[in-house]
Amino acid sequence: MGGGKAPRPASPIVLALRRFPDPRLTGLGSGLFCTATMFALGCLDALLFDGSVTVYGVLFLLVSTLTAMWVRRADLVSAPVAVPIGFAVGILPMADGSGAFGGQVMGLVTALAMHAGWLYGGTLVAGLVVTVRGIRHMARRAARRRALAQARAGSPRTAGQQVTSAPRPRRRTA
């Protein structure tokens, strides 16, 4: 009778992805996650693969994606900011610098300049994931508002009744 479609069964890939953990990190938490993970992976890469930039870059893309997926909705803009910081900290063990502090800094700057492609790629991935998440969130909010407006328009109510879905947040002034 109803014109609605039956829900499609989820694909095996979607079911497998739903079994993964789904933490929600704050902006600071996502920065710490990315930085600590990249430093640990940089140390492992320096020990196991003699500082292979390709291995480090691929792992950076993965960590960038996870950072962008695990950050809270309220802190979405922090993921593309935290990811380059994590890259810079993680490349420290692989940077070829001489013993003094200035030499180490020059090694880091050289490594960042030489491997900027991986840095830009990971930042782009994080930015794309965050943008898609933001658009999906805005679309869900708009659908909720439309459904609420339809519920208000379709149901007769008395003067004292009001249909609400949730308390409205206060507007910030200043």
Side-chain angles (χ1 to χ4, degrees), residues 136-151:
R136 287 183 64 205
H137 174 63
M138 288 187 300
R140 280 191 215 122
R141 241 182 17 197
R144 247 185 274 134
R145 284 187 189 138
R146 281 192 303 271
L148 182 61
Q150 287 175 353

Side-chain angles (χ1 to χ4, degrees), residues 34-72:
C34 184
T35 302
T37 304
M38 289 314 302
F39 185 73
L41 291 174
C43 290
L44 282 173
D45 185 17
L47 288 174
L48 300 176
F49 301 107
D50 199 30
S52 171
V53 178
T54 305
V55 171
Y56 181 75
V58 171
L59 292 173
F60 174 65
L61 293 177
L62 177 67
V63 171
S64 298
T65 305
L66 289 177
T67 302
M69 287 174 44
W70 287 350
V71 70
R72 296 184 316 175

Side-chain angles (χ1 to χ4, degrees), residues 14 54 115 133 162:
V14 171
T54 305
H115 310 301
R133 285 186 60 202
Q162 186 175 352

Side-chain angles (χ1 to χ4, degrees), residues 64-65 68-69 76 79-80 120-135:
S64 298
T65 305
M69 287 174 44
L76 282 177
Y120 293 148
T123 306
L124 178 67
V125 166
L128 288 174
V129 170
V130 163
T131 302
V132 168
R133 285 186 60 202
I135 290 171

